[in-house]
Amino acid sequence: GQQLNQSPQSMFIQEGEDVSMNCTSSSIFNTWLWYKQDPGEGPVLLIALYKAGELTSNGRLTAQFGITRKDSFLNISASIPSDVGIYFCAGPSGGTSYGKLTFGQGTILTVHP
Amino acid sequence: GAGVSQTPSNKVTEKGKYVELRCDPISGHTALYWYRQSLGQGPEFLIYFQGTGAADDSGLPNDRFFAVRPEGSVSTLKIQRTERGDSAVYLCASSRQGGKEQYFGPGTRLTVT
């Protein structure tokens, strides 16, 4: 089946630094979703991307839909302690028109004050 | 309610017992999904409902797992003859009809002893 590979697996940064992470696939996705998960909670939707090349922002977060449609990127500017968590990329698998999502394995972000 | 709710938040059961996990989606969302998340992994798709019917149950691991949504709103995931390998967090998500953006509940942590 389709797999999403996230990089890096973990990041340790200082408060105020910018963060970049990415997600790649061997097959094309028509939608990319980025989620954040805090311990003991469900994933929270951060950004949704629907078009190749699309660049979308949500506050300090910016995500891009790669033009090959096989990758996506998430950037966080001026990180703060509450950015700590696990970031997942996801997309509808198998070309489904509904949201049967495949998730990456996550990027664990730690922010040192 | 404002978001997806799941009950119970935690469930500990003995191997071989039967369990039911409940999901109450966002009001008006016709699509409902169940996922399973093991430690250190992203969520994995189990089953998708559009209205009352299970439109895609390809992620259910075996016939011990079953889910219903009799009135097109609340859903129950049922696991018979639980095994230790069933221990995981079970997440429920909902979306508008045709929508790719899924909103997750907090999950039920199932532990089989």
Side-chain angles (χ1 to χ4, degrees):
Chain A
Q2 291 176 309
Q3 287 188 325
L4 296 179
N5 296 307
Q6 289 189 244
S7 179
Q9 288 188 333
S10 60
M11 305 180 74
F12 298 84
I13 63 168
Q14 291 292 129
E15 183 177 359
E17 290 182 356
D18 296 344
V19 172
S20 291
M21 60 187 78
N22 67 66
C23 184
T24 60
S25 171
S26 58
S27 52
I28 288 172
F29 277 74
N30 293 315
T31 301
W32 287 96
L33 305 171
W34 284 94
Y35 286 87
K36 177 177 183 271
Q37 188 173 29
D38 292 331
E41 302 291 330
V44 174
L45 182 63
L46 300 173
I47 292 179
L49 302 161
Y50 295 100
K51 194 173 171 183
E54 179 182 354
L55 189 71
T56 298
S57 293
N58 178 6
R60 293 177 297 104
L61 277 61
T62 301
Q64 184 162 22
F65 193 139
I67 54 175
T68 66
R69 295 165 64 193
K70 292 184 178 181
D71 54 12
S72 180
F73 308 89
L74 178 69
N75 295 313
I76 305 173
S77 62
S79 58
I80 58 178
S82 62
D83 291 334
V84 165
I86 306 177
Y87 291 80
F88 290 100
C89 62
S93 50
T96 56
S97 60
Y98 52 91
K100 176 182 178 180
L101 296 180
T102 294
F103 281 78
Q105 80 275 27
T107 291
I108 302 170
L109 179 63
T110 303
V111 180
H112 294 291
Chain B
V4 178
S5 61
Q6 293 187 244
T7 54
S9 55
N10 283 283
K11 176 71 177 178
V12 181
T13 191
E14 292 181 348
K15 178 176 179 293
K17 299 289 189 182
Y18 168 82
V19 296
E20 289 189 351
L21 312 179
R22 175 189 166 107
C23 171
D24 200 341
I26 293 171
S27 178
H29 280 191
T30 57
L32 185 147
Y33 304 81
W34 284 97
Y35 292 83
R36 180 166 72 173
Q37 186 175 27
S38 300
L39 194 63
Q41 302 294 320
E44 293 180 327
F45 171 81
L46 294 176
I47 187 169
Y48 157 59
F49 286 90
Q50 180 55 48
T52 60
D56 184 344
D57 64 357
S58 61
L60 295 178
N62 52 59
D63 61 6
R64 295 186 298 104
F65 289 74
F66 189 71
V68 296
R69 195 186 185 200
E71 297 178 357
S73 178
V74 170
S75 176
T76 305
L77 178 66
K78 308 181 181 194
I79 311 174
Q80 298 177 321
R81 304 184 303 279
T82 52
E83 299 177 357
R84 294 195 180 88
D86 299 335
S87 297
V89 174
Y90 289 81
L91 294 163
C92 176
S94 69
S95 71
R96 294 188 308 274
Q97 184 171 1
K100 302 287 175 52
E101 298 173 21
Q102 295 179 29
Y103 299 89
F104 282 80
T108 294
R109 180 174 298 278
L110 176 66
T111 303
V112 182
T113 62

